[in-house]
Amino acid sequence: MPDIIEGPPEADDPRPSWPSRLMWFALLALGGLAATAAVAYALRAMLGL
């Protein structure tokens, strides 16, 4: 059975480029913002405001 969780990168593995890392950060930040907004609007709708 293959491992489900991947271990840390090896010391000699190349790091991803900074634009790639910046893109992941931006996508995660926008995803968190969207999830927070969705929960806020759902709670507001449930309260009838």
Side-chain angles (χ1 to χ4, degrees):
M1 181 172 181
D3 292 336
I4 295 174
I5 299 174
E6 185 177 321
E10 298 295 327
D12 57 348
D13 284 348
R15 290 180 60 179
S17 63
W18 69 267
S20 173
R21 290 184 286 163
L22 185 62
M23 180 193 64
W24 273 109
F25 174 77
L27 289 174
L28 289 173
L30 290 175
L33 177 68
T36 302
V39 169
Y41 280 113
L43 289 173
R44 184 176 175 160
M46 287 172 36
L47 292 173
L49 297 175

